[in-house]
Amino acid sequence: MGVPAGVLIGVTLFDVAVVGLGPAGRSLAHRLAAAGLEVLGVDPHPGRSWAQTLGGWRRQLPAWLPADVVATTAHDPQIRAADSYPIRDEYAILDNDAVRLATTLERVTVEEQVLGDDDVAALRQRARMVVDARGARPAGSGGDVPHQTAHGILVPPEVAEKVLCGAEAVLMDWRPFDGAARWGVTSPTFLYVIPMPDGRVLLEETCLAGAPGLSQGELRRRLLRRLELSGLGGDQVSGAEVERVSIPLVRRGGHIQGVMRFGAAGQQNNPFSGYTFFASLSAVDGVVAQAVRGELPGRDQPLFVRRRALHGVLNLSPDDTYALFDAFGRLSPAHQRAVLDADTPGANLVAAMARQFTLMPLARGLGLARATLLP
Ligand SMILES: Cc1cc2nc3c(=O)[nH]c(=O)nc-3n(C[C@H](O)[C@H](O)[C@H](O)COP(=O)(O)OP(=O)(O)OC[C@H]3O[C@@H](n4cnc5c(N)ncnc54)[C@H](O)[C@@H]3O)c2cc1C
């Protein structure tokens, strides 16, 4: 086998190579370099700004990020199902440009390339530690996995108030979009309502997990019907700017020996939410400490429990899904965090999910057990 271009046999040029400089990889590369390590970063478009909205729990933001990365916040966002349940926490939406400014790559050697799995493995000859942060959908890969899909519109706050009804944000409104008492055989979706940095409010109909995820057309139809029932129709919503979301919930491809996965590429992937960035930020310091100590990455953390949970969500009947999230709303704040946070240790996650199970009506709980445990 030939030696990849740029490899000096027997000489380790870099302490760490980070492949993929999206939000997660860039933050990690920045902090590794700030700790005095020699860092190589690889991405085909390292200067490209991020179009996606980055939201998550404020408490997960590390102290090294300046306060101005937070563009807007909402307190106690609600879960709505049989009742309305506030989640006692603060939700933040980031200013993406401020995050990029706070995570400059000045001290990182950047190469603009697309790397396949073999190229990533070969980087072990150029760096003591190699991190794969190519996201959940690395360039050059195909195939299909479960996706979260969503269709949202941006409206002025006075329009959104008809849906918010006094809440600062709604994380998930699981009530049927057409006003029906039950979902029946219709695959369920929820409404997400969140204030955005520019003062507008995002109203987004979301399919939590689907293989394939629900189409944009169907999500839009549901969103408009739901809003109409809240008294929002016609001119108030028809010309509004649109956000379309499609997030893979499981990373394709296997483990590359001796390479650590970071960000949506694996380690912080939360199949429940599809949102990974805040969990990635909270994990950065641990990886930097590991790199400073010169520890090589071990195998990825087992994601077994979350994969089983995703399997359950994909197989759950519509009304069992509704009951599951109603029970989630009634969990203690500590248990809610355990379910929401991607880095919750497996045992704590199991304990929180078991409690959620006991809060469901028996028949619905048995439906959940079947969906989760059966192949
Ligand atoms: C509309 C929308 C809204 C979202 N909202 C949220 C939210 O509110 N909160 C949240 O946490 N997440 C949200 N997400 C998901 C969000 O995209 C991820 O959480 C976040 O981008 C993960 O960052 P990452 O750096 O791990 O991966 P990515 O953002 O996917 O970055 C991967 C990087 O790797 C590079 N790369 C890819 N392939 C290769 C290759 N072969 N070789 C070299 N480099 C490669 C890419 O160029 C990219 O820079 C949203 C997504 C969408 C689409």
Side-chain angles (χ1 to χ4, degrees):
M1 210 172 85
V3 178
V7 170
L8 296 181
I9 295 172
V11 179
T12 301
L13 291 177
F14 294 97
D15 293 308
V16 187
V18 180
V19 188
L21 296 171
R26 182 183 172 104
S27 306
L28 179 62
H30 168 80
R31 290 298 291 173
L32 288 163
L37 298 172
E38 290 295 329
V39 182
L40 169 66
V42 185
D43 193 296
H45 309 289
R48 191 185 272 175
S49 54
W50 306 317
Q52 69 270 41
T53 309
L54 292 171
W57 303 110
R58 187 173 195 160
R59 64 186 156 75
Q60 290 187 311
L61 295 177
W64 50 264
L65 269 180
D68 71 359
V69 300
V70 174
T72 185
T73 63
H75 293 90
D76 303 342
Q78 289 184 351
I79 296 278
R80 293 178 182 165
D83 207 338
S84 292
Y85 311 99
I87 298 185
R88 300 290 176 205
D89 219 331
E90 191 179 5
Y91 197 80
I93 299 287
L94 299 182
D95 174 336
N96 291 2
D97 291 337
V99 174
R100 291 179 68 86
L101 211 60
T103 55
T104 69
L105 298 175
E106 273 166 0
R107 296 199 211 156
V108 175
T109 302
V110 176
E111 294 182 1
E112 298 189 12
Q113 287 187 62
V114 174
L115 298 189
D117 287 358
D118 290 346
D119 308 315
V120 174
L123 272 182
R124 286 172 305 176
Q125 297 170 60
R126 297 180 65 191
R128 282 189 300 117
M129 179 174 174
V130 179
V131 179
D132 181 358
R134 292 176 295 166
R137 194 169 12 202
S141 71
D144 205 12
V145 295
H147 274 65
Q148 178 172 114
T149 53
H151 182 97
I153 58 171
L154 289 147
V155 300
E158 61 276 13
V159 173
E161 185 47 36
K162 287 213 167 152
V163 179
L164 283 166
C165 304
E168 289 189 19
V170 178
L171 204 62
M172 295 176 166
D173 184 343
W174 280 102
R175 292 171 301 174
F177 67 93
D178 55 2
R182 304 177 57 223
W183 282 98
V185 293
T186 308
S187 64
T189 49
F190 64 87
L191 181 70
Y192 170 69
V193 188
I194 212 82
M196 299 301 281
D198 66 3
R200 291 181 295 174
V201 178
L202 177 65
L203 309 174
E204 198 156 75
E205 192 74 20
T206 305
C207 164
L208 183 66
L214 227 56
S215 72
Q216 289 293 321
E218 174 61 8
L219 288 164
R220 182 171 178 86
R221 184 184 77 78
R222 292 186 180 196
L223 175 65
L224 296 184
R225 178 75 184 122
R226 191 190 284 279
L227 297 182
E228 197 181 7
L229 289 177
S230 298
L232 291 176
D235 290 351
Q236 284 170 297
V237 294
S238 60
E241 192 184 323
V242 168
E243 173 178 281
R244 294 180 182 83
V245 179
S246 178
I247 306 176
L249 295 175
V250 179
R251 164 75 182 269
R252 281 187 70 252
H255 175 76
I256 306 174
Q257 188 65 33
V259 173
M260 170 187 279
R261 285 180 171 195
F262 193 75
Q267 288 278 356
Q268 286 84 42
N269 197 344
N270 183 345
F272 269 134
S273 69
Y275 289 2
T276 57
F277 184 45
F278 282 54
S280 302
L281 283 171
S282 69
V284 160
D285 286 346
V287 177
V288 171
Q290 191 176 340
V292 166
R293 289 194 301 269
E295 285 174 16
L296 290 174
R299 274 199 72 89
D300 291 346
Q301 298 262 327
L303 292 169
F304 176 76
V305 179
R306 289 208 179 271
R307 279 180 192 257
R308 242 19 250 178
L310 173 63
H311 176 80
V313 168
L314 286 169
N315 288 295
L316 215 50
S317 81
D319 288 313
D320 288 352
T321 304
Y322 178 88
L324 176 73
F325 282 94
D326 189 68
F328 174 82
R330 289 183 283 129
L331 284 176
S332 69
H335 278 149
Q336 285 179 339
R337 285 182 183 188
V339 173
L340 287 170
D341 291 358
D343 53 357
T344 302
N348 296 11
L349 179 60
V350 169
M353 288 170 64
R355 176 69 186 133
Q356 197 169 348
F357 173 82
T358 62
L359 289 171
M360 294 172 73
L362 184 60
R364 302 277 170 223
L366 292 176
L368 173 65
R370 262 195 311 274
T372 309
L373 300 175
L374 294 182

